[in-house]
Amino acid sequence: EIYQISDTFLLSDILRLTSNKYYDIFGLEMLAFPSLASFSQSVYMQTLQREGETIELLTNSDMYYFFSKNIVGGICRLGPKRSITLNHPAMSNFDTKKPISLLTMVDINGMYSGIMSRDALPRGRYRFLNEIETKSLFLDLVENKSYDNWTDEYYRVEIDEQGRVIHYGCTLEVTVGLIDDEQRRRFDHLPLFEQKIKIPSNWLSPFQLEMYKKLGKRLPDNTERIVLTLHDKCAVVDYRYLKFALQTNAYQLIKLGRVVEYEQRPFMRSYTQFCANLRQKSKTSVDNNFFKLLCNIQYGRSLLNKCNYKNVEFVFSK
C-alpha cells in the first residue's frame, strides 16, 4: 500500500512538471488532451494560424474518391540476392584467400519531417482539368516533353488579380508502359508504378504452385496484392513521380485520363522546422524523442482516412 501511494504521487508530480514545461513552450495544457496525437494536432493548427496559413478542404465527392480509391500503399521487396556472406579480418571465419567484402547499412534520418518540410503540398483551388486542357497537356507531354520544365515547387505558375504568384501542382491518371524489351530488362528488379491488383493463377511460378499444393492452400485468384510488374499499367500519380519515370527514357505515356490541379505550397515547413529547432535545443533524450514524435505523429495524421472512422458512444448507468 505504501508503494502504491508513493508511486502514484511520484507519477502525479512527473505529469504535472511535464505539463507545466510544455505549457511554457506551446501555451497548451497537455493534460487536457485525450492523446498525444490530439495535442500534436493542436500545436500544428496553432503554428498554421501564426503563419496566417489556411487549408481548403475537398468538397467535391468525385475528386475525393479520385484520390482515396487510388491509394495503393508501399512496397517492401527483397532483391535478387537474399543472403550474402561477408569476409573481413575482424570476423572469426575470415578467409585470407578471398577478397575483403563489406555490407553497408543506410539509415535515413528525419524522413517524415524531411518530406513535410521540403515538398510543396496541396492547399486549395482544386479542380478537374476540362477535356480540352487534358488533351493539350497530353500532346505537350508527348511531343514537347514539357515535364522537363516541371519542378518540385510547381508544374505551372500563375499570377492572380492581386499580383500574387501561385504555384500549381497536379495529380494525373495515366496509362504508362516500358518502351521495349531492353528497358524491361533494365527495370526487371524494380519496376515503377506499383499496383494493387488480383493475381491470376497463371502468373504464379512453378515453385509457387508447388508450394500452394504442398500446403493445401487455395490459389489466390481473388486476393489483392501490391505488385510491381513490367506490363502496361494505369496509375494515379503525382506529377513529380511521372516526371521521374519519363525522364528515365524507359517509360512512355500511352494515355492521359483525368487530371486534378491544385495550388500547392510547403505549408508544413514552419511546423517541422519549429519541432526541429526544439529538438536541437533539447538537453535530454526524453525531450529529443518527444519533439521528434510530435513531427512524426503529424505525418501519420495527414494520412488518416475519415471514411474509416467509427462513432463510439459511451453509455453510463445512473
Side-chain angles (χ1 to χ4, degrees), residues 218-234:
R218 189 174 56 183
L219 292 178
D221 293 318
N222 296 318
T223 304
E224 283 193 338
R225 306 281 185 182
I226 302 175
V227 295
L228 299 170
T229 71
L230 300 173
H231 301 149
D232 293 350
K233 57 192 76 172
C234 181

Side-chain angles (χ1 to χ4, degrees), residues 127-135 259:
R127 73 180 186 95
F128 281 110
L129 296 190
N130 59 42
E131 188 176 349
I132 296 175
E133 290 173 317
T134 303
K135 287 182 179 179
V259 179

Side-chain angles (χ1 to χ4, degrees), residues 163-201:
R164 293 189 305 118
V165 177
I166 300 176
H167 292 169
Y168 283 95
C170 64
T171 300
L172 310 95
E173 185 179 40
V174 297
T175 302
V176 293
L178 288 159
I179 295 174
D180 51 35
D181 289 339
E182 181 182 349
Q183 300 305 328
R184 288 187 179 89
R185 287 190 293 271
R186 178 183 166 195
F187 280 85
D188 180 51
H189 294 323
L190 191 62
L192 303 180
F193 301 98
E194 64 271 17
Q195 289 178 296
K196 191 173 184 180
I197 58 175
K198 295 178 181 179
I199 307 298
S201 57

Side-chain angles (χ1 to χ4, degrees), residues 201-218:
S201 57
N202 59 350
W203 282 18
L204 301 179
S205 67
F207 174 77
Q208 289 172 318
L209 293 171
E210 183 64 25
M211 287 298 296
Y212 270 101
K213 186 177 179 180
K214 285 183 178 179
L215 296 173
K217 300 289 186 179
R218 189 174 56 183

